[in-house]
Amino acid sequence: MHAGEVADELTSHESALRKLPLPYSLALRLREAGVAPEVVSEYVGVDEAALDGVYRIAEAKLSAAGDRRCHELVENSRTRAQNAQ
């Protein structure tokens, strides 16, 4: 993979994130940055218990927006959910 291809992939992901409603985009961005769930829930304005649902909706919206990286996000989300059980 060349540097230009990486830049295109990041641009595609960023473009898809920008198509999402702000709370969903913010939730995904904060999660990707490693922000603690209690902080993400505060910024997004939902109870921490509802955050997994927000992530699932955001990932579905991201996929519908045409992001190629969304599959990776969904897989990471599933792995986190399985590890939490």
Side-chain angles (χ1 to χ4, degrees):
M1 184 176 282
H2 299 288
E5 292 172 355
V6 171
D8 288 344
E9 182 177 331
L10 294 175
T11 301
S12 170
H13 180 65
E14 180 63 26
S15 175
L17 279 170
R18 290 179 183 200
K19 293 177 185 176
L20 299 182
L22 183 59
Y24 298 113
S25 176
L26 181 60
L28 292 177
R29 290 173 189 275
L30 292 173
R31 183 180 69 179
E32 289 175 10
V35 175
E38 60 271 11
V39 177
V40 176
S41 65
E42 185 176 328
Y43 273 102
V44 176
V46 298
D47 289 335
E48 190 175 344
L51 201 52
D52 284 338
V54 170
Y55 290 144
R56 282 192 296 275
I57 293 168
E59 290 162 351
K61 289 182 176 291
L62 194 63
S63 180
D67 183 29
R68 296 178 301 211
R69 288 180 49 195
C70 187
H71 177 71
E72 178 183 321
L73 289 172
V74 170
E75 290 303 315
N76 289 342
S77 176
R78 288 182 184 150
T79 302
R80 278 193 302 279
Q82 289 172 351
N83 291 338
Q85 293 176 351

